[in-house]
Amino acid sequence: MKNLILAAFAVFAFANVNAQDDDSGNQTSEGKWLIEANTGNEVLGTTGIYFSTSDGSSSYNIGLDGGYFIIDDLAIKVGLGYGGFSPDEGDAVSSFSYRLGAKYYIMGNIPVTLDATGASGDGVENSAGETPLWLGLGAGYAWFVSNNVSIEPGLRYNLSLNEDFIDEGVLQINIGFALHF
């Protein structure tokens, strides 16, 4: 996990050093692009990044979200992720996750998100053959460490849209790393 975090920081530092100056407005102006990686939660079908291990079993996910600012401060986003679970004994399973939504920056540095997230793949279904589908609402703070890079800690609540899969919501704390160009 430590190596994964160091690699993420290295990618963002490299992107920041090689980014060209742009005088066409701030980071969330209309026509700008956004690429972000967020920490994740294995309960959700997620486009985030996580790794966990316990008693010889491990689970992981890797994914990214991308967005385009259709107007100042409002980005339409899509995300994709791939993950898996390797039990101590038995067959490993994998999943494909997706996200579609919007992100609005209040005053340019308070991101609020609304999106739908789901997953499919081997072993993702419950005993009734249902897959997860979530409606997520999140808010946080965008700390712009440079013109092109932000760190965005936040809270997110995920409401299950498929009560046959799970009928509980999930609250998560996450940290996002975003490139703006």
Side-chain angles (χ1 to χ4, degrees):
M1 183 67 176
K2 184 177 176 181
N3 290 337
L4 182 62
I5 291 171
L6 290 174
F9 279 119
V11 167
F12 287 106
F14 177 77
N16 185 42
V17 167
N18 290 308
Q20 297 177 0
D21 289 334
D22 187 357
D23 294 331
S24 64
N26 66 22
Q27 300 91 329
T28 62
S29 295
E30 179 180 352
K32 297 278 186 138
W33 291 89
L34 168 73
I35 296 176
E36 63 184 344
N38 294 289
T39 56
N41 180 330
E42 71 179 289
V43 173
L44 305 170
T46 182
T47 60
I49 297 172
Y50 71 83
F51 177 80
S52 67
T53 185
S54 177
D55 299 326
S57 299
S58 61
S59 60
Y60 65 91
N61 197 80
I62 186 161
L64 291 173
D65 290 358
Y68 180 76
F69 286 92
I70 58 171
I71 60 172
D72 287 353
D73 300 323
L74 177 63
I76 300 299
K77 290 180 36 178
V78 296
L80 297 173
Y82 179 80
F85 174 73
S86 299
D88 185 30
E89 295 179 12
D91 295 331
V93 297
S94 60
S95 66
F96 173 75
S97 303
Y98 52 90
R99 176 175 290 161
L100 178 62
K103 186 173 199 174
Y104 184 74
Y105 285 82
I106 300 170
M107 298 184 306
N109 63 351
I110 300 173
V112 177
T113 61
L114 178 66
D115 54 52
T117 304
S120 62
D122 301 333
V124 174
E125 304 88 14
N126 64 10
S127 60
E130 301 292 331
T131 58
L133 183 60
W134 305 91
L135 178 65
L137 178 62
Y141 181 78
W143 174 41
F144 286 92
V145 295
S146 73
N147 287 335
N148 301 83
V149 178
S150 66
I151 300 173
E152 301 183 4
L155 282 174
R156 178 180 172 86
Y157 183 75
N158 300 281
L159 175 68
S160 176
L161 296 178
N162 187 348
E163 292 181 3
D164 293 333
F165 182 80
I166 189 169
D167 62 355
E168 300 174 359
V170 176
L171 180 66
Q172 70 185 100
I173 298 172
N174 59 9
I175 298 176
F177 303 93
L179 294 175
H180 301 262
F181 56 97

